[in-house]
């Protein structure tokens, strides 16, 4: 995804947009200049320098051509911008899914959501751009007509407009800084809001926490944001007011100053006055649109920044074309973990947790249980083993083939994971056969005692998921079995199950997977069932200890 700019937007998909824009500029320039000339000469009673007898026809032709061209160009711009928004949205999501997992965690959900909001902001650009462009052309045509009438007087007006423009540029710089700071606050607010929604049960469980997140974080953030918005709004209003009253200054210059400084007749004064009245609308429009333009500029900058962040993290085999995907890892035989280590690093660059080098050999059909206290490194190890984290040192070898950036996605395709915070998708993205006619599915649902709980949507081939957390884990296990991968990783699957299903998991499900030659690695604290594993690994303060089978 290239840099997001207005030029790229115009070039996107519809290459005719740029030539059409130039043609529109010429027509609008001719139309505006001709209209001014026609009105000025008609008011002053002087004939046109050309085609005076067909002045009405010239007027009609320019009106029709300008109307039709503006209509068709606006249609092209709307189409181009909506395509641009679609492409940007899809490419952001595409790059996000191809970036590594650690980068996503560091970036956070809030930043992703606000990036898509930036894209949505740019989708409102066509109408604003057309209005801005037409107003700019009309101003250029009006000034051109002034130069045709009296160059010295036109230079005086242009000089005054340049002074006003410089004042605007300075004031808009301040407005842009305020709006950019407000945008940072919006990112932070989205993070607070996500915490509020995703942790709502925890918010309800503590008055102190509830007051803190609402009063000290959300309310304080919105107060700062509204103050910046008020400041930027007042500055923008000041610009508008300055522009409005600047016209009175220009009119006074034409009526009182120019006749004293230059020897000009009433026809020129009349032409200048008509032109200024003609320009009041376009200049006022440009002034009013400045805040929107600043918003678009910030959106472009933030999308490019987000795009650069994603591009820097496309170091995974997911980013390779399907034609280059390697198939050597399709069959699992052995897995060797050779001195892999990992460090969690905060925003300041400090190491907050270190998983020390680990050596481990795993064979096909082996059952391994992992135990350890919270913060001991179990989940970090699981993320490394599953290929979500990339080791800081060491290597993972599968079937004598080293797992690298070139084949890491194929390695992950061998593994089915149920994480402790497992999320059930609302759609059947894996294209499982979830219809009642699937006997294997019906058998699994019955074993998990979900056959009378779930509702199957035959039309959409999916299962409605209004289930308890324990039932959701059971449904996730069914999906995992349907995946039929070589390796299964379960992160405290039984923790939310009642004693009956906890026992069923260890005494039936795991032995059944072993009998089919599947390899199972499970994090568990259920020491009563350690006898069902081939090996027990215990983690303690970032180190892994190997213990024998417990009988």
């Amino acid at each position: 995804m290239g840099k997001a700019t207005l030029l790229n937007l115009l070039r996107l998909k519809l290459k005719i947009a740029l030539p059409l824009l130039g043609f529109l500029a010429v027509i609008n320039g001719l139309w505006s200049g001709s209209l001014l000339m026609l009105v000025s000469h008609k008011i002053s009673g002087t004939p046109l320098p050309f085609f005076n007898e067909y002045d009405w026809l010239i007027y009609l032709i320019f009106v029709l051509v300008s109307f039709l061209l503006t209509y068709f160009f606006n249609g092209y711009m709307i189409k181009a911008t909506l395509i641009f928004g679609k492409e940007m949205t899809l490419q952001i999501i595409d790059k996000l899914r191809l970036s590594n997992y650690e980068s996503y965690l560091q970036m956070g959900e809030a930043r992703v959501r606000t990036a898509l909001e930036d894209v949505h902001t740019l989708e409102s650009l066509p109408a604003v751009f057309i209005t801005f462009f037409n107003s700019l052309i009309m101003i250029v045509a009006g000034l051109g007509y002034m130069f045709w009438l009296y160059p010295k007087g036109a230079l005086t007006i242009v000089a005054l407009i340049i002074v006003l423009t410089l004042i605007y540029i300075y004031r808009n710089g301040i407005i842009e800084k305020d709006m950019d700071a407000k945008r940072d606050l919006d990112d932070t607010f989205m993070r607070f809001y996500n915490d509020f929604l995703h942790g709502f049960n925890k918010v309800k469980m503590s008055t102190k926490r509830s007051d803190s997140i609402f009063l000290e974080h959300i309310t304080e953030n919105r107060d700062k944001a509204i103050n910046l918005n008020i400041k930027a709004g007042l500055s923008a209003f000041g610009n508008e007011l300055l522009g409005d009253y600047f016209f009175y200054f220009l009119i006074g210059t034409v009526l009182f100053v120019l006749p004293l400084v230059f020897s000009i007749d009433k026809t020129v004064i009349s032409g200048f006055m008509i032109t200024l009245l003609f320009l009041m609308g376009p200049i006022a429009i440009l002034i009013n649109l400045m805040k929107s333009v600043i918003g678009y500029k910030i959106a472009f900058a933030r999308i490019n920044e987000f795009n650069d962040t994603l591009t820097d993290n496309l170091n995974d085999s997911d980013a390779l074309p399907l034609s280059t995907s390697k198939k050597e890892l399709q069959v699992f035989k052995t897995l060797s973990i050779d001195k892999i280590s990992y460090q969690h690093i905060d925003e300041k660059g400090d190491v907050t947790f270190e998983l020390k080098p680990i050596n481990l050999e795993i064979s096909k059909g082996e059952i391994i249980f992992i135990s350890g206290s919270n913060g001991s490194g179990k989940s970090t190890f699981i993320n490394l083993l599953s290929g979500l984290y990339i080791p800081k040192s060491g290597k993972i070898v599968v079937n004598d083939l080293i797992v690298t950036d070139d084949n890491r996605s194929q390695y992950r395709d061998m593994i089915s994971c149920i994480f402790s915070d497992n999320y059930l998708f609302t759609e059947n993205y894996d294209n499982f056969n979830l219809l009642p006619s699937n006997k294997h599915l019906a058998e699994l649902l019955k074993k998990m005692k979900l056959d009378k709980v779930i509702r199957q949507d035959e039309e959409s081939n999916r299962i409605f998921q209004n289930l308890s957390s324990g039932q959701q884990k059971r449904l996730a296990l069914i999906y995992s079995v349907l995946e039929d991968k070589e390796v299964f990783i379960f992160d405290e699957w039984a923790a939310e199950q009642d004693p009956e299903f906890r026992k069923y998991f260890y005494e039936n499900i795991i032995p059944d997977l072993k009998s089919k030659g599947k390899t199972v690695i499970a994090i568990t604290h259920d020491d009563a069932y350690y006898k069902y594993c081939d090996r027990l690994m215990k983690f303690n303060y970032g180190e892994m200890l190997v213990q024998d089978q417990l009988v």
Side-chain angles (χ1 to χ4, degrees):
M1 182 171 63
K3 291 289 184 183
T5 64
L6 181 58
L7 189 61
N8 287 339
L9 188 155
L10 291 171
R11 287 174 175 167
L12 183 67
K13 303 291 184 183
L14 299 169
K15 295 181 179 180
I16 194 173
L18 283 177
L20 189 60
L21 179 61
F23 187 46
L24 179 67
V26 172
I27 293 298
N28 272 356
L30 291 173
W31 148 248
S32 300
S34 300
L35 179 63
L36 280 172
M37 182 183 296
L38 180 63
V39 173
S40 179
H41 280 72
K42 281 294 182 181
I43 291 176
S44 63
T46 57
L48 291 173
F50 49 83
F51 302 118
N52 185 59
E53 63 275 17
Y54 298 108
D55 52 5
W56 63 272
L57 183 58
I58 294 173
Y59 178 83
L60 181 61
I61 290 173
F62 274 114
V63 169
L64 290 175
V65 172
S66 178
F67 171 81
L68 292 174
L69 196 60
T70 301
Y71 175 80
F72 285 112
F73 180 76
N74 196 22
Y76 274 113
M77 277 298 299
I78 290 173
K79 187 176 180 180
T81 308
L82 292 177
I83 292 174
F84 171 82
K86 182 203 75 171
E87 293 292 333
M88 288 290 290
T89 299
L90 293 179
Q91 289 185 46
I92 283 175
I93 296 174
D94 189 38
K95 277 199 173 183
L96 186 63
R97 75 185 182 93
L98 300 181
S99 63
N100 62 63
Y101 181 66
E102 299 151 286
S103 301
Y104 167 74
L105 293 179
Q106 292 171 3
M107 192 178 303
E109 179 182 347
R111 184 68 189 90
V112 177
R113 289 182 182 274
T114 51
L116 294 180
E117 288 178 6
D118 288 328
V119 174
H120 181 67
T121 296
L122 294 177
E123 290 179 352
S124 64
L125 183 60
V128 172
F129 178 76
I130 288 295
T131 304
F132 186 93
F133 179 76
N134 283 340
S135 299
L136 188 62
I137 294 299
M138 292 172 71
I139 291 171
V140 172
L143 293 176
Y145 179 65
M146 283 185 172
F147 273 98
W148 183 74
L149 283 176
Y150 193 75
K152 292 181 180 180
L155 281 173
T156 304
I157 299 298
V158 169
L160 293 174
I161 291 177
I162 290 175
V163 171
L164 176 66
T165 303
L166 292 175
I167 295 173
Y168 266 55
I169 291 174
Y170 173 75
R171 290 175 60 85
N172 282 335
I174 298 175
I175 295 173
E176 184 175 346
K177 288 181 181 179
D178 290 340
M179 291 181 66
D180 201 25
K182 193 260 182 185
R183 190 65 176 74
D184 288 333
L185 287 170
D186 289 342
D187 287 345
T188 305
F189 168 75
M190 190 59 68
R191 180 163 56 84
F192 294 157
Y193 187 59
N194 285 337
D195 288 343
F196 178 74
L197 294 179
H198 296 318
F200 189 71
N201 54 350
K202 293 184 178 180
V203 172
K204 295 294 293 182
M205 290 301 298
S206 170
T207 303
K208 179 181 178 181
R209 185 184 301 125
S210 178
D211 289 345
S212 174
I213 194 172
F214 178 68
L215 299 175
E216 297 175 18
H217 292 81
I218 292 177
T219 302
E220 183 177 326
N221 177 281
R222 290 298 85 192
D223 286 342
K224 291 179 180 178
I226 198 65
N227 287 336
L228 284 174
N229 241 356
I230 291 172
K231 182 181 176 184
L234 290 176
S235 297
F237 174 71
N239 281 354
E240 295 173 17
L241 200 62
L242 183 64
D244 291 340
Y245 279 84
F246 183 74
F247 269 105
Y248 296 118
F249 182 72
L250 289 180
I251 291 172
T253 301
V254 171
L255 290 177
F256 306 112
V257 177
L258 291 185
L260 293 176
V261 178
F262 306 107
S263 299
I264 52 178
D265 57 31
K266 292 182 179 181
T267 302
V268 174
I269 295 295
S270 175
F272 268 57
M273 286 301 302
I274 291 172
T275 304
L276 286 178
L277 294 174
F278 175 80
L279 294 180
M280 284 184 68
I283 291 180
I285 289 173
L286 288 185
I287 293 171
N288 292 332
L289 291 179
M290 279 300 142
K291 189 174 181 180
S292 297
V293 171
I294 293 172
Y296 293 134
K297 184 180 177 181
I298 293 173
F300 276 129
R302 287 182 174 267
I303 286 176
N304 287 328
E305 178 187 350
F306 186 80
N307 176 46
D308 290 341
T309 302
L310 291 180
T311 301
D312 291 341
N313 293 300
L314 285 178
N315 55 0
D316 200 288
S317 54
D318 286 329
L320 297 174
L322 290 176
S323 59
T324 65
S325 297
K326 297 186 177 182
K327 303 298 182 182
E328 294 94 330
L329 301 179
Q330 283 186 334
V331 178
F332 172 75
K333 296 179 181 177
T334 60
L335 189 152
S336 176
I337 297 173
D338 185 11
K339 298 178 181 178
I340 64 169
S341 66
Y342 190 82
Q343 292 178 332
H344 288 281
I345 300 175
D346 61 17
E347 296 177 354
K348 298 178 181 178
D350 297 329
V351 177
T352 58
F353 177 81
E354 180 179 10
L355 185 68
K356 297 177 182 178
I358 292 175
N359 293 293
L360 181 64
E361 298 287 337
I362 300 175
S363 300
K364 180 179 176 67
E366 193 171 12
I367 307 298
I368 296 176
F369 286 175
I370 298 173
S371 68
S373 60
N374 290 335
S376 61
K378 305 185 305 296
S379 296
T380 299
F381 173 70
I382 288 298
N383 284 329
L384 286 167
L385 184 64
S386 63
L388 289 177
Y389 284 0
I390 300 174
K392 301 302 180 184
S393 65
K395 59 187 177 181
I396 297 176
V397 182
V398 179
N399 304 338
D400 298 323
L401 188 67
I402 298 175
V403 176
T404 66
D405 288 343
D406 292 333
N407 59 17
R408 186 169 286 105
S409 63
Q410 286 74 46
Y411 169 68
R412 287 197 297 263
D413 284 339
M414 300 173 58
I415 302 171
S416 178
C417 290
I418 300 181
F419 299 101
S420 59
D421 58 347
N422 190 70
Y423 178 80
L424 285 178
F425 294 115
T426 58
E427 289 292 331
N428 181 13
Y429 299 118
D430 292 285
N431 292 320
F432 296 133
N433 180 3
L434 301 179
L435 300 176
S437 58
N438 185 344
K439 294 182 179 180
H440 184 209
L441 174 64
E443 181 183 353
L444 290 171
L445 289 171
K446 188 174 182 179
K447 286 181 178 179
M448 293 293 172
K449 293 189 176 180
L450 293 177
D451 53 323
K452 298 181 180 179
V453 177
I454 59 98
R455 289 192 302 117
Q456 291 166 279
D457 183 351
E458 296 187 43
E459 183 177 350
S460 301
N461 187 31
R462 65 190 181 96
I463 292 176
F464 293 104
Q465 299 167 178
N466 187 19
L467 305 171
S468 68
S469 57
Q471 291 171 334
Q472 288 182 24
K473 280 287 184 73
R474 280 184 257 159
L475 183 57
L477 182 57
I478 290 175
Y479 289 155
S480 186
V481 171
L482 291 176
E483 282 187 294
D484 196 29
K485 298 290 185 70
E486 296 288 333
V487 180
F488 289 80
I489 295 178
F490 302 125
D491 189 352
E492 300 192 48
W493 181 89
E496 297 174 319
Q497 303 302 320
D498 57 34
E500 177 185 356
F501 275 103
R502 182 172 295 151
K503 181 179 180 182
Y504 185 79
F505 173 71
Y506 292 109
E507 295 185 356
N508 296 88
I509 294 174
I510 288 181
D512 182 58
L513 291 173
K514 182 178 177 66
S515 69
K516 295 177 181 178
K518 306 299 184 182
T519 303
V520 177
I521 298 100
I523 294 178
T524 175
H525 297 289
D526 296 323
D527 52 359
Y529 297 100
Y530 285 171
K531 61 185 178 181
Y532 291 101
C533 71
D534 297 313
R535 277 186 290 168
L536 174 66
M537 310 295 175
K538 186 174 182 180
F539 278 78
N540 189 35
Y541 296 108
E543 292 186 276
M544 186 182 75
L545 308 175
V546 181
Q547 297 185 23
D548 294 330
Q549 176 184 0
L550 301 180
V551 181

